[in-house]
């Protein structure tokens, strides 16, 4: 005798949502578990609150993007843009990108995130306008990297800064391709 379980049509979507939010919760809780076993990890309540806001914000924004478009290139582009913003803020807050967290030059990375967000809002979340915002964010990061290099900072730090530009570059490319593909399909 076999038992078959019928899945609801929305189960596949919900499964990915459960996996995504489950990973976010696991990442937020992992320092709590690590603190039980080592003194190396010492998060405060404000650290956990910051993590919850960051993961929750990225998750909610991605869910909004998924609802806005069925275009997989658009969704992937938004995901990479969110990843780029997340990594810039997280690493900058944790250890700083240019010569440690106390260097005021690290505030420039807030400009990169602001360009990505404000550019997307001004583009009304349309693919081609968002792509332009992402390419602008890449340009600003390259300027920051060159400034750090000229300022006498470690050249590997400048490579790291350019590495943080890669998600924005890929996002811009995906958004451009997705926008062009969508306009071809509609005409």
């Amino acid at each position: 005798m076999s038992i078959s379980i019928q899945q609801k049509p929305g189960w596949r979507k919900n499964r990915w949502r459960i996996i995504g939010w489950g990973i976010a919760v696991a990442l937020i809780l992992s320092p709590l578990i690590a603190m039980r076993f080592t003194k190396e990890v010492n998060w405060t309540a404000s650290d956990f609150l910051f993590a919850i806001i960051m993961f929750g914000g990225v998750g909610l924004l991605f869910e909004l993007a998924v609802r806005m478009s069925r275009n997989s290139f658009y969704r992937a582009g938004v995901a990479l843009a969110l990843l780029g913003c997340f990594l810039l803020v997280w690493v900058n807050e944790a250890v700083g990108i240019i010569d440690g967290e106390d260097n005021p030059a690290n505030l420039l990375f807030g400009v990169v995130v602001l360009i990505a967000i404000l550019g997307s809002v001004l583009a009304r979340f349309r693919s081609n306008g968002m792509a332009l915002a992402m390419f602008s964010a890449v340009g600003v990061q390259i300027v920051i990297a060159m400034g750090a290099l000229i300022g006498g900072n470690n050249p590997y730090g400048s490579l790291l800064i350019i590495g943080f530009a890669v998600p924005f570059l890929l996002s811009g490319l995906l958004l451009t391709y997705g926008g062009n593909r969508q306009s071809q399909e509609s005409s």
Side-chain angles (χ1 to χ4, degrees):
M1 179 168 131
S2 70
I3 299 173
S4 69
I5 299 173
Q6 290 186 336
Q7 295 179 349
K8 295 179 182 176
W11 165 246
R12 185 172 181 180
K13 285 188 224 175
N14 288 335
R15 178 177 51 184
W16 285 113
R17 287 181 73 202
I18 292 168
I19 290 169
W21 285 109
I23 290 171
V25 168
L27 288 171
I28 291 168
L29 292 178
S30 61
L32 185 65
I33 295 166
M35 287 175 17
R36 298 270 183 204
F37 300 104
T38 180
K39 300 260 185 228
E40 299 286 322
V41 179
N42 188 19
W43 277 32
T44 63
S46 61
D47 293 326
F48 283 103
L49 180 62
F50 179 73
I52 290 168
I53 290 169
M54 289 288 295
F55 281 104
V58 167
L60 290 173
L61 288 172
F62 184 69
E63 284 210 21
L64 180 64
V66 166
R67 292 176 195 268
M68 287 180 66
S69 175
R70 298 182 60 81
N71 184 319
S72 59
F73 293 102
Y74 180 87
R75 289 176 175 182
V78 170
L80 283 169
L82 289 170
L83 175 67
C85 289
F86 178 88
L87 290 174
L88 269 181
V89 172
W90 190 271
V91 172
N92 210 13
E93 287 296 315
V95 294
I97 297 173
I98 300 174
D99 288 338
E101 59 200 70
D102 295 329
N103 189 335
N106 286 315
L107 295 174
L108 294 171
F109 295 105
V111 173
V112 174
V113 173
L114 190 61
I115 287 170
I117 294 170
L118 194 57
S120 296
V121 169
L122 290 173
R124 296 187 199 152
F125 302 103
R126 292 188 186 119
S127 293
N128 291 329
M130 288 176 64
L132 181 60
M134 297 311 126
F135 293 138
S136 299
V138 170
V140 170
Q141 280 188 271
I142 290 171
V143 169
I144 293 170
M146 295 300 115
L149 191 60
I150 291 168
N153 293 307
N154 185 342
Y156 296 113
S158 293
L159 287 174
L160 177 66
I161 295 167
I162 291 172
F164 279 116
V166 170
F168 293 104
L169 177 63
L170 294 174
S171 170
L173 292 171
L174 286 167
L175 288 164
T176 299
Y177 183 76
N180 291 341
R181 191 169 170 196
Q182 190 173 16
S183 63
Q184 288 172 353
E185 290 173 0
S186 64
S187 54

